[in-house]
Amino acid sequence: MTSGTNPTRIPVFVDLDETLVKTDLALEQLTRLVFRPDHYGGLISSGREGRSHLKRYLSDQVSIDAAHLPYNAEVVSYLEAQKVLGRRIILATAADITVANAVAAHLGLFDDIIASTPGQNLKGTAKLAKIKELAQGPFEYLGDCAADIPIWQDAERVGYINVPSAVRAQVSSGTTVALEVNNKPSWVSALLRAMRPHQWVKNALIFLPLFFSHSYSDGALVTQAMLTFVAFSLLASSVYLVNDLQDLKADRAHQTKRNRPFAAGTLSPKQGLMSAGFLMIVALSLSAVCLGAPITVLLLLYLAITFLYSGWLKHYSTIDVIVLTCLYTLRIFIGGVAIDILPSPWLLNFSLFFFLSLALMKRYVELNDVKEQGRDHSRGYLVTDLLAILAAGIANGSLAVLTLTLYLNSDYVKDTYTSPMLLWLVAPLILFWVQRAWIRALRGLIHSDPVVFALKDSVSRSTLLLTCAIVIGAKYLDIGAWFQ
């Protein structure tokens, strides 16, 4: 800076994507439409006209909730301080003008806006030309990437927001650095969180046919089941990544889900899509090479159902919980196909009732949260549906236990187990867990997915371990001989 220049007289221009906010808004909008075939025509036609037209199409189709965006707190604080000093603050972004207007209206910091409009994509040198036209002299620019290099090189003062060292090296070392922010966490740790490995416990259902057929001493079958578990878990994680990208708007408005990596801006949409694609390829390749065509086809079926659910079916009441139930049951069926021992109709029947009860519990918890927030509906449900969901959930849990008791009277149990009467201890255990879980949900003590609750709840873990012990004991212990 020249010695006679007063910094407070220099306007501050600030970029939007990954500078003022921690994410790329246009890319977020695009990911919302990638799995919506009804928008493909619009995406293609607007894309042919140029990036600026594509951005306008995205802005028209996907609104931005400016109040819940992951703003970079250090940048906002800096701008607020400069505003107090009387400096002009200008939002200078390649994003569409409608997006820029929404952000500016929420923050109330900006004296002017430079943004893309149909026919004019303001990035790099194009943005620099507009900045120089508006600044009419020295200016300060806050940015984040290589596209900002020509602007930094022309700026009197610069701000680096999570800028790679290789990019910084291309800017004159004599430039005054007004602000430097390095608060972006490792994308690897953020990706691991977004993959939700704790949810892989659901995929343990794959082992049920192995367990109930008592084939766990067969090393080859155990290996097959393990490989199936790994392939399914990687595929499920890819779906979690896509789902979180689809649910960004809702997650950011949620009290706890706003801390998820995509919603919080710690993982970019680009990284998420690339990782999801990589995980899908690895999972399906592992299945094709090691598990065979039947498992691969079933994994593709799971993938198709989950994408239908995420993009469409989850917004319709009742069908959403039926689909969730089928996805749980599909895990059991896949586990049976993997070891060439199909699960019994009794197990599949129990699964349908039991997991429908859990799916309804999840909706009950979510809808109860909606009610406490003062809203009257969510995902096709009204808060007035709470009583119906409660009744249906408890009823289906009870039907699952009834199915279990009928199974205990079957000839299969008598022929398979050494002490079949011992299995009757399982019925009250499952009934206890179902009723207890619903009571806790009714009291507001379950705040998320019931499976997550079961993982963290010591009583649930003890119930599961005791159930497994009883089943193994009934198979190998001759209780009747003890009384002879």
Side-chain angles (χ1 to χ4, degrees):
M1 188 190 312
T2 58
S3 58
T5 305
N6 185 346
T8 61
R9 296 182 182 274
I10 299 177
V12 181
F13 293 81
V14 58
D15 187 28
L16 176 60
D17 294 323
E18 299 191 71
T19 300
L20 182 62
V21 296
K22 297 179 180 180
T23 186
D24 187 320
L25 296 178
L27 195 52
E28 284 191 1
Q29 291 171 320
L30 180 60
T31 57
R32 290 278 300 277
L33 300 184
V34 162
F35 300 98
R36 295 280 303 275
D38 52 319
H39 284 283
Y40 287 176
L43 289 171
I44 293 171
S45 61
S46 60
R48 286 174 178 170
E49 295 182 67
R51 287 190 178 185
S52 61
H53 291 276
L54 176 60
K55 290 175 181 178
R56 172 53 56 89
Y57 178 80
L58 293 173
S59 298
D60 288 342
Q61 302 303 318
V62 182
S63 62
I64 293 294
D65 182 5
H68 294 104
L69 291 177
Y71 291 99
N72 198 322
E74 293 183 49
V75 176
V76 173
S77 296
Y78 176 77
L79 295 177
E80 290 173 340
Q82 302 311 302
K83 187 77 172 177
V84 172
L85 294 175
R87 300 181 70 181
R88 291 178 63 212
I89 312 293
I90 299 97
L91 180 61
T93 175
D96 187 75
I97 187 66
T98 56
V99 173
N101 283 336
V103 171
H106 171 68
L107 291 178
L109 284 172
F110 303 106
D111 299 291
D112 213 331
I113 298 172
I114 293 174
S116 296
T117 55
Q120 187 175 42
N121 186 43
L122 289 186
K123 191 167 185 176
T125 54
K127 184 194 289 188
L128 174 60
K130 282 289 184 180
I131 289 175
K132 294 175 73 174
E133 179 184 330
L134 188 60
Q136 293 294 306
F139 64 89
E140 178 179 323
Y141 180 75
L142 314 182
D144 67 282
C145 65
D148 295 320
I149 289 175
I151 307 175
W152 280 323
Q153 289 175 334
D154 215 292
E156 191 85 1
R157 292 161 59 89
V158 300
Y160 297 121
I161 314 302
N162 296 308
V163 177
S165 56
V167 174
R168 283 198 56 177
Q170 300 180 54
V171 184
S172 172
S173 58
T175 306
T176 300
V177 179
L179 176 68
E180 184 170 6
V181 176
N182 293 293
N183 60 2
K184 195 168 187 177
S186 166
W187 71 270
V188 176
S189 60
L191 175 62
L192 289 175
R193 278 191 60 211
M195 287 173 61
R196 300 188 216 171
H198 63 279
Q199 294 280 11
W200 291 357
V201 68
K202 297 177 182 179
N203 306 331
L205 294 172
I206 287 170
F207 295 106
L208 286 187
L210 182 77
F211 179 73
F212 285 112
S213 65
H214 300 284
S215 303
Y216 32 75
S217 59
D218 188 322
L221 294 185
V222 171
T223 300
Q224 283 294 100
M226 286 295 299
L227 288 173
T228 305
F229 174 82
V230 171
F232 196 98
S233 296
L234 293 177
L235 192 65
S237 284
S238 73
V239 172
Y240 293 144
L241 294 175
V242 173
N243 285 352
D244 283 357
L245 284 168
Q246 297 289 297
D247 292 340
L248 271 175
K249 188 174 181 179
D251 285 353
R252 283 178 178 149
H254 193 274
Q255 187 173 3
T256 56
K257 293 181 180 180
R258 63 188 178 190
N259 296 318
R260 288 178 173 177
F262 291 118
T266 55
L267 190 64
S268 74
K270 181 179 179 180
Q271 291 167 335
L273 285 176
M274 291 179 64
S275 299
F278 176 75
L279 290 173
M280 286 181 194
I281 291 171
V282 171
L284 294 174
S285 298
L286 175 63
S287 175
V289 173
C290 301
L291 301 172
I295 294 296
T296 305
V297 170
L298 289 172
L299 291 181
L300 288 171
L301 176 63
Y302 167 82
L303 202 58
I305 294 173
T306 52
F307 282 146
L308 277 174
Y309 171 80
S310 299
W312 179 40
L313 298 176
K314 71 178 180 182
H315 300 292
Y316 294 90
S317 64
T318 308
I319 187 65
D320 64 329
V321 292
I322 299 297
V323 172
L324 284 176
T325 302
C326 291
L327 289 174
Y328 279 115
T329 305
L330 182 60
R331 288 169 166 88
I332 298 175
F333 187 76
I334 288 175
V337 173
I339 61 173
D340 202 24
I341 301 175
L342 292 181
S344 72
W346 290 108
L347 179 57
L348 296 177
N349 196 31
F350 172 85
S351 171
L352 284 172
F353 288 127
F354 183 77
F355 289 111
L356 180 55
S357 179
L358 293 191
L360 288 165
M361 188 183 299
K362 182 175 182 179
R363 287 294 175 263
Y364 180 87
V365 170
E366 293 173 347
L367 199 57
N368 206 36
D369 288 342
V370 166
K371 181 181 178 181
E372 291 179 358
Q373 294 167 12
R375 295 185 286 143
D376 62 357
H377 69 281
S378 174
R379 288 190 177 186
Y381 291 91
L382 302 175
V383 294
T384 53
D385 298 332
L386 279 169
L387 287 178
I389 294 173
L390 177 66
I394 295 174
N396 277 280
S398 300
L399 285 172
V401 178
L402 176 61
T403 301
L404 174 61
T405 58
L406 294 173
Y407 163 72
L408 296 178
N409 281 314
S410 68
D411 292 335
Y412 173 81
V413 169
K414 296 174 183 176
D415 296 338
T416 303
Y417 289 89
T418 304
S419 301
M421 291 302 294
L422 191 60
L423 287 175
W424 278 93
L425 294 175
V426 173
L429 279 175
I430 301 299
L431 188 60
F432 158 75
W433 188 88
V434 170
Q435 300 298 328
R436 177 178 178 270
W438 270 105
I439 288 174
R440 293 181 76 82
L442 184 61
R443 293 175 179 176
L445 298 176
I446 297 180
H447 304 290
S448 58
D449 190 322
V451 175
V452 176
F453 156 75
L455 280 175
K456 296 179 178 180
D457 179 50
S458 59
V459 173
S460 298
R461 294 195 299 267
S462 299
T463 302
L464 175 62
L465 290 174
L466 187 55
T467 298
C468 292
I470 291 172
V471 172
I472 293 173
K475 172 66 177 176
Y476 296 108
L477 297 179
D478 187 0
I479 302 298
W482 297 359
F483 298 97
Q484 292 180 357

